[in-house]
Amino acid sequence: MRKVCVMEGDGIGKEVIPEALKVLKELGDFEIIKGDVGLECLKKYGTALPDETIEKAKEADVILFGAITSPKPNEVKNYKSPIITLRRMFDLYANVRPINNFGVGELIGRLNNYEFLKVKDVDLVIIRENTEGLYVGREKILEDDIAISERIITRKGSERIIRFAFEYAKRNNRKKVSCIHKANVLRVSDGLFLKIFNEIKEKYNNIKADDFLVDSTAMNLIKYPEKFDVIVTTNLFGDILSDEASVLIGGLGLAPSANIGGKKALFEPVHGSAPDIAGKGIANPMASILSVAMLFDYMGEKEKGDIIREAVKQCIINKKTTPDLGGNLKTVEVGDEIVRYIRKRI
């Protein structure tokens, strides 16, 4: 039996992941292994990622992760982010974040009161390098008023994420891959990333390739998202751009993601622990449920992933949503509605 290590984490992670598990169990037969993680875990055990949880993650085929609350800077000595630690530990080098509003973007815009949102169809994917860049955590203080962070870009890391993006495009019948960078200023680090992109693109003659500066990309994602199909970029840029792009699909409550390596994968909603609404029962579980759809894609069962995505779409169309999408349902009720639709399909 396939094993899934479930880490709910903090805040709304404890509310949305149970709804994702409903969907997971409805469509597959899995052994669920639960592991503690996050700020509450830190207060309880003295670590945000206990060894016991790590062993459970090693034992599992895949990981389903909720959200964590990070302590404030300097609040905890030698704090290490559990999600970044897991990405490095299992070499989950590819972060895949689909930006898809299921063809109902105009409706989502109205539900969200986004008057500027006129997009009818957004369907792009942001593929972010997940183990390098500024997030390597190499920081130091030279003097009281000088702090330095190292940004690491390697040929190995760049080659594999860029190749992953082109293979993803090929596998999913995507037409174009865009490299996002700031090589006009970061001439050495992003210069290397762009150079490698230009080398690799020559091996994929059937897929269009272009590149954009990250600042112009930030504008074009909102004004002209149709310019993009598959985006490949470095760690920090991918993190920021994918959060920005989520506005096109109704916010982070609809933004799933996958962290993929050579032997293991971790699936998580893009949103955080949202302590301001935790415990109120109004958190949108769709991002975590759509992350389960990506889990099925990864396991070679895309038809099940498509059923989940269609169920989410129908809930949006029929306004069976939480308040962030203009509805009045609770977190649990949205999960129940999605399960109800899935049962009709199977």
Side-chain angles (χ1 to χ4, degrees):
M1 182 183 295
R2 295 171 295 185
K3 295 180 180 180
V4 180
C5 180
V6 176
M7 305 179 193
E8 294 180 352
D10 303 306
I12 64 170
K14 295 183 180 299
E15 300 173 52
V16 298
I17 292 300
E19 303 311 306
L21 286 177
K22 285 182 187 176
V23 173
L24 183 74
K25 293 174 182 177
E26 196 68 32
L27 287 167
D29 190 15
F30 299 94
E31 179 182 347
I32 306 301
I33 310 168
K34 291 195 174 184
D36 287 326
V37 70
L39 185 60
E40 290 184 22
C41 179
L42 174 66
K43 293 176 179 177
K44 188 176 180 180
Y45 299 110
T47 174
L49 182 61
D51 290 342
E52 183 180 351
T53 299
I54 292 173
E55 290 305 312
K56 290 178 179 179
K58 289 179 179 178
E59 181 185 346
D61 297 294
V62 293
I63 302 165
L64 182 61
F65 192 95
I68 56 169
T69 302
S70 298
K72 296 177 182 179
N74 302 319
E75 185 179 358
V76 177
K77 289 184 178 180
N78 301 318
Y79 174 78
K80 293 183 179 180
S81 165
I83 187 63
I84 292 177
T85 300
L86 288 167
R87 287 168 180 166
R88 291 179 187 164
M89 181 176 295
F90 296 114
D91 200 19
L92 307 177
Y93 67 90
N95 190 303
V96 182
R97 296 187 173 185
I99 308 297
N100 189 334
N101 61 18
F102 312 110
V104 292
E106 192 171 347
L107 170 60
I108 290 174
R110 291 200 306 271
L111 294 175
N112 250 323
N113 295 317
Y114 291 166
E115 294 181 3
F116 67 88
L117 189 57
K118 304 297 182 184
V119 180
K120 292 184 179 179
D121 190 7
V122 178
D123 183 12
L124 59 95
V125 179
I126 297 177
I127 295 177
R128 157 192 168 197
E129 203 292 318
N130 218 19
T131 61
E132 297 187 344
L134 272 173
Y135 288 2
V136 294
R138 295 186 187 178
E139 297 187 301
K140 57 186 176 183
I141 297 287
L142 291 186
E143 300 174 17
D144 288 344
D145 56 352
I146 300 177
I148 292 181
S149 295
E150 294 183 18
R151 185 174 189 261
I152 307 298
I153 303 293
T154 68
R155 172 168 284 277
K156 175 185 175 182
S158 300
E159 283 182 347
R160 66 179 182 177
I161 193 63
I162 292 166
R163 192 173 293 111
F164 182 99
F166 276 100
E167 287 296 325
Y168 181 96
K170 181 180 178 181
R171 191 167 60 250
N172 291 281
N173 298 313
R174 297 277 179 169
K175 306 302 181 185
K176 186 176 76 163
V177 177
S178 300
C179 175
I180 309 304
H181 61 90
K182 192 64 177 174
N184 60 329
V185 176
L186 301 171
R187 303 179 73 85
V188 176
S189 56
D190 268 21
L192 177 62
F193 192 80
L194 179 60
K195 177 178 182 289
I196 293 169
F197 176 83
N198 287 330
E199 292 171 358
I200 291 176
K201 74 180 184 182
E202 298 301 324
K203 301 176 183 178
Y204 294 88
N205 295 325
N206 295 327
I207 299 173
K208 295 180 181 178
D210 57 15
D211 67 275
F212 295 88
L213 295 175
V214 65
D215 40 0
S216 64
T217 300
M219 178 188 71
N220 283 316
L221 269 175
I222 298 300
K223 292 189 70 175
Y224 311 111
E226 65 275 9
K227 284 188 175 184
F228 303 103
D229 192 351
V230 174
I231 284 174
V232 63
T233 189
T234 54
N235 206 333
L236 177 63
F237 293 164
D239 194 7
I240 294 171
L241 291 175
S242 57
D243 275 23
E244 180 204 10
S246 72
V247 75
L248 299 172
I249 58 172
L252 292 175
L254 281 169
S257 75
N259 302 264
I260 298 174
K263 297 181 180 180
K264 199 177 291 288
L266 180 154
F267 302 87
E268 59 173 332
V270 173
H271 63 68
S273 61
D276 56 323
I277 63 169
K280 296 181 179 179
I282 59 172
N284 188 344
M286 289 179 172
S288 62
I289 290 170
L290 289 169
S291 297
V292 168
M294 297 184 76
L295 185 156
F296 279 114
D297 294 344
Y298 173 79
M299 289 190 162
E301 299 179 83
K302 187 176 183 300
E303 68 284 356
K304 293 181 179 179
D306 288 341
I307 290 173
I308 294 170
R309 286 181 278 266
E310 183 62 28
V312 169
K313 176 180 177 179
Q314 291 304 317
C315 278
I316 294 171
I317 290 173
N318 292 295
K319 299 181 180 179
K320 295 184 181 297
T321 61
T322 42
D324 59 304
L325 289 178
N328 57 12
L329 296 188
K330 296 290 189 180
T331 306
V332 172
E333 293 172 327
V334 172
D336 289 341
E337 288 292 338
I338 290 173
V339 168
R340 191 172 294 116
Y341 178 86
I342 289 172
R343 286 175 178 171
K344 290 179 182 178
R345 287 289 304 271
I346 61 175

